[in-house]
Amino acid sequence: MRQILTSAGLLALVGCAAPTPAPVDVSAKSAALADRFQSELQGQLQTAMRAGGPVGAIGVCQQAAPAIAVNLSEESGAQVRRIALKERNPDSLAQGEFRPRLEQLAAAPLDADGKPAWVQWTAGSGKDARAHYLRAIPMKEQPCAACHGTNIAPDVRAKLAELYPQDKATGFKPGDLRGAIAISWPVETR
Protein backbone atom coordinates (compact mmCIF):
# COMPACT_ATOMS: atom_id res chain seq x y z
CA MET A 1 0.00 0.00 0.00
CA ARG A 2 2.80 2.38 0.83
CA GLN A 3 4.34 2.02 -2.67
CA ILE A 4 1.00 2.82 -4.31
CA LEU A 5 0.68 6.02 -2.30
CA THR A 6 4.28 6.96 -3.03
CA SER A 7 3.80 6.30 -6.73
CA ALA A 8 0.60 8.30 -6.79
CA GLY A 9 2.28 11.13 -4.92
CA LEU A 10 5.21 11.05 -7.34
CA LEU A 11 2.85 11.15 -10.32
CA ALA A 12 1.06 14.14 -8.83
CA LEU A 13 4.37 15.96 -8.34
CA VAL A 14 5.52 15.18 -11.88
CA GLY A 15 2.22 16.53 -13.23
CA CYS A 16 2.67 19.76 -11.27
CA ALA A 17 6.25 20.17 -12.44
CA ALA A 18 5.41 20.51 -16.13
CA PRO A 19 7.72 23.15 -17.56
CA THR A 20 6.17 26.56 -17.95
CA PRO A 21 7.98 29.16 -19.96
CA ALA A 22 9.45 32.20 -18.35
CA PRO A 23 8.38 35.45 -19.98
CA VAL A 24 10.20 35.78 -23.28
CA ASP A 25 11.04 39.22 -24.70
CA VAL A 26 10.13 39.12 -28.37
CA SER A 27 9.50 42.84 -28.70
CA ALA A 28 12.48 43.72 -30.93
CA LYS A 29 12.09 40.94 -33.47
CA SER A 30 8.29 41.29 -33.41
CA ALA A 31 8.48 45.04 -33.96
CA ALA A 32 10.75 44.43 -36.96
CA LEU A 33 8.23 41.96 -38.44
CA ALA A 34 5.32 44.33 -37.77
CA ASP A 35 7.26 47.15 -39.46
CA ARG A 36 7.86 44.98 -42.52
CA PHE A 37 4.21 43.92 -42.65
CA GLN A 38 3.02 47.53 -42.47
CA SER A 39 5.59 48.76 -44.99
CA GLU A 40 4.84 46.07 -47.57
CA LEU A 41 1.08 46.46 -47.19
CA GLN A 42 1.18 50.28 -47.31
CA GLY A 43 3.35 50.19 -50.43
CA GLN A 44 0.87 47.95 -52.23
CA LEU A 45 -2.10 49.97 -50.96
CA GLN A 46 -0.60 53.25 -52.20
CA THR A 47 0.02 51.74 -55.64
CA ALA A 48 -3.55 50.38 -55.78
CA MET A 49 -5.01 53.72 -54.61
CA ARG A 50 -3.19 55.59 -57.38
CA ALA A 51 -4.31 53.05 -59.98
CA GLY A 52 -7.93 52.49 -58.96
CA GLY A 53 -8.81 54.54 -55.91
CA PRO A 54 -10.28 53.01 -52.76
CA VAL A 55 -12.31 50.41 -54.68
CA GLY A 56 -9.10 49.12 -56.26
CA ALA A 57 -7.31 49.07 -52.92
CA ILE A 58 -9.89 46.82 -51.27
CA GLY A 59 -8.52 43.85 -53.20
CA VAL A 60 -5.03 44.55 -51.86
CA CYS A 61 -6.24 44.28 -48.28
CA GLN A 62 -8.24 41.18 -49.14
CA GLN A 63 -5.48 39.32 -51.00
CA ALA A 64 -2.10 40.91 -50.40
CA ALA A 65 -2.35 41.34 -46.62
CA PRO A 66 -2.87 37.61 -45.94
CA ALA A 67 -0.12 36.74 -48.44
CA ILE A 68 2.31 39.12 -46.73
CA ALA A 69 1.43 37.55 -43.36
CA VAL A 70 2.04 34.04 -44.73
CA ASN A 71 5.39 35.03 -46.26
CA LEU A 72 6.58 36.70 -43.05
CA SER A 73 5.40 33.71 -41.01
CA GLU A 74 7.27 31.23 -43.19
CA GLU A 75 10.40 33.36 -43.20
CA SER A 76 10.49 34.03 -39.44
CA GLY A 77 9.01 30.90 -37.86
CA ALA A 78 6.42 33.04 -36.07
CA GLN A 79 2.71 33.24 -36.82
CA VAL A 80 1.97 36.71 -38.24
CA ARG A 81 -1.60 37.93 -38.76
CA ARG A 82 -3.96 40.85 -38.26
CA ILE A 83 -6.74 40.71 -35.68
CA ALA A 84 -9.56 43.08 -34.77
CA LEU A 85 -12.43 43.64 -32.37
CA LYS A 86 -14.59 44.80 -35.31
CA GLU A 87 -13.46 42.56 -38.12
CA ARG A 88 -13.86 42.78 -41.86
CA ASN A 89 -12.70 39.21 -42.44
CA PRO A 90 -14.26 36.74 -39.94
CA ASP A 91 -10.88 34.97 -39.61
CA SER A 92 -9.48 38.17 -38.07
CA LEU A 93 -11.77 38.29 -35.04
CA ALA A 94 -9.76 38.57 -31.82
CA GLN A 95 -10.53 35.57 -29.65
CA GLY A 96 -9.35 33.90 -26.47
CA GLU A 97 -6.45 35.54 -24.66
CA PHE A 98 -6.02 38.00 -27.54
CA ARG A 99 -9.36 39.72 -26.99
CA PRO A 100 -8.73 41.32 -23.56
CA ARG A 101 -5.29 42.45 -24.65
CA LEU A 102 -6.69 44.00 -27.80
CA GLU A 103 -9.34 45.72 -25.67
CA GLN A 104 -6.47 47.05 -23.54
CA LEU A 105 -4.86 48.50 -26.69
CA ALA A 106 -8.21 49.96 -27.76
CA ALA A 107 -8.23 52.07 -24.59
CA ALA A 108 -4.89 53.64 -25.57
CA PRO A 109 -3.82 52.74 -29.14
CA LEU A 110 -0.93 55.22 -29.09
CA ASP A 111 1.90 55.41 -26.57
CA ALA A 112 3.18 58.62 -24.96
CA ASP A 113 5.37 59.29 -28.03
CA GLY A 114 2.41 58.99 -30.44
CA LYS A 115 3.56 55.59 -31.76
CA PRO A 116 1.35 52.49 -31.93
CA ALA A 117 1.08 50.89 -28.49
CA TRP A 118 1.98 47.24 -28.02
CA VAL A 119 1.73 44.46 -25.46
CA GLN A 120 3.48 41.13 -25.13
CA TRP A 121 3.03 38.06 -22.94
CA THR A 122 4.05 34.41 -22.75
CA ALA A 123 1.41 31.70 -22.36
CA GLY A 124 0.99 27.96 -22.56
CA SER A 125 3.31 25.19 -21.53
CA GLY A 126 5.46 22.51 -23.08
CA LYS A 127 5.26 22.34 -26.86
CA ASP A 128 2.25 24.70 -26.80
CA ALA A 129 4.15 27.58 -25.15
CA ARG A 130 4.04 30.81 -27.17
CA ALA A 131 5.38 34.31 -26.78
CA HIS A 132 2.77 36.76 -28.12
CA TYR A 133 3.14 40.35 -29.32
CA LEU A 134 0.31 42.68 -30.36
CA ARG A 135 0.93 46.06 -31.93
CA ALA A 136 -1.98 48.44 -32.38
CA ILE A 137 -3.07 49.57 -35.83
CA PRO A 138 -4.51 53.03 -35.13
CA MET A 139 -6.93 54.38 -37.71
CA LYS A 140 -5.36 56.97 -40.00
CA GLU A 141 -7.32 59.64 -41.80
CA GLN A 142 -5.86 58.72 -45.19
CA PRO A 143 -6.07 56.30 -46.84
CA CYS A 144 -7.77 54.17 -44.16
CA ALA A 145 -10.88 56.33 -43.71
CA ALA A 146 -11.93 55.69 -47.32
CA CYS A 147 -12.83 52.09 -46.43
CA HIS A 148 -13.00 52.05 -42.61
CA GLY A 149 -14.24 55.54 -41.71
CA THR A 150 -17.59 57.12 -41.00
CA ASN A 151 -18.21 58.61 -44.47
CA ILE A 152 -17.63 55.85 -47.03
CA ALA A 153 -18.45 56.48 -50.71
CA PRO A 154 -21.33 54.43 -52.19
CA ASP A 155 -19.10 52.57 -54.70
CA VAL A 156 -16.71 51.59 -51.89
CA ARG A 157 -19.62 50.45 -49.71
CA ALA A 158 -20.93 48.34 -52.59
CA LYS A 159 -17.55 46.65 -53.14
CA LEU A 160 -17.16 46.01 -49.41
CA ALA A 161 -20.64 44.46 -49.27
CA GLU A 162 -19.76 42.24 -52.23
CA LEU A 163 -16.46 41.00 -50.80
CA TYR A 164 -17.31 41.11 -47.08
CA PRO A 165 -21.06 40.61 -46.57
CA GLN A 166 -20.63 40.51 -42.76
CA ASP A 167 -18.25 43.48 -42.56
CA LYS A 168 -18.03 45.14 -39.14
CA ALA A 169 -14.89 47.20 -39.79
CA THR A 170 -16.39 50.63 -40.48
CA GLY A 171 -17.30 53.67 -38.41
CA PHE A 172 -13.76 54.33 -37.17
CA LYS A 173 -12.44 57.83 -36.50
CA PRO A 174 -8.77 58.79 -36.82
CA GLY A 175 -6.91 57.55 -33.75
CA ASP A 176 -9.36 54.72 -32.99
CA LEU A 177 -7.95 51.22 -32.76
CA ARG A 178 -8.58 49.61 -36.13
CA GLY A 179 -6.95 46.29 -35.15
CA ALA A 180 -3.54 44.87 -34.36
CA ILE A 181 -0.71 42.92 -35.87
CA ALA A 182 -0.47 39.71 -33.85
CA ILE A 183 2.82 37.83 -33.82
CA SER A 184 3.20 34.53 -31.94
CA TRP A 185 6.52 32.75 -31.48
CA PRO A 186 7.04 29.17 -30.33
CA VAL A 187 8.87 29.01 -27.01
CA GLU A 188 11.19 26.12 -26.33
CA THR A 189 10.90 24.72 -22.83
CA ARG A 190 13.63 22.64 -21.30
Side-chain angles (χ1 to χ4, degrees):
M1 181 73 169
R2 183 176 178 148
Q3 276 187 333
I4 292 172
L5 289 174
T6 304
S7 296
L10 184 59
L11 285 175
L13 285 174
V14 169
C16 292
T20 55
V24 177
D25 185 359
V26 295
S27 59
K29 62 184 181 177
S30 296
L33 274 177
D35 287 346
R36 285 187 54 203
F37 184 96
Q38 289 288 102
S39 177
E40 289 180 32
L41 181 58
Q42 286 176 357
Q44 291 187 38
L45 278 171
Q46 288 170 354
T47 300
M49 288 287 284
R50 283 191 297 271
V55 172
I58 294 169
V60 169
C61 276
Q62 183 190 39
Q63 295 172 10
I68 292 167
V70 166
N71 289 340
L72 291 175
S73 295
E74 289 172 356
E75 180 184 308
S76 68
Q79 179 189 28
V80 180
R81 61 194 176 109
R82 292 185 302 174
I83 62 172
L85 297 171
K86 290 174 50 178
E87 77 283 1
R88 177 152 284 164
N89 177 342
D91 293 336
S92 298
L93 179 63
Q95 298 181 25
E97 64 188 304
F98 290 89
R99 188 163 192 86
R101 286 173 173 93
L102 193 54
E103 289 170 346
Q104 174 187 346
L105 287 177
L110 298 172
D111 67 15
D113 296 327
K115 296 184 180 185
W118 56 274
V119 295
Q120 72 172 29
W121 71 100
T122 303
S125 63
K127 65 179 171 82
D128 295 325
R130 299 282 181 268
H132 302 290
Y133 173 94
L134 288 182
R135 182 163 81 187
I137 303 172
M139 170 76 169
K140 294 181 182 177
E141 179 62 42
Q142 293 300 323
C144 304
C147 297
H148 294 286
T150 57
N151 188 21
I152 299 172
D155 59 336
V156 174
R157 260 194 207 284
K159 188 67 171 179
L160 289 172
E162 173 190 327
L163 296 176
Y164 301 102
Q166 297 172 337
D167 182 25
K168 297 176 186 152
T170 59
F172 294 99
K173 296 179 207 106
D176 288 349
L177 180 76
R178 169 55 202 100
I181 299 172
I183 302 173
S184 299
W185 300 90
V187 175
E188 292 183 30
T189 55
R190 295 178 178 25

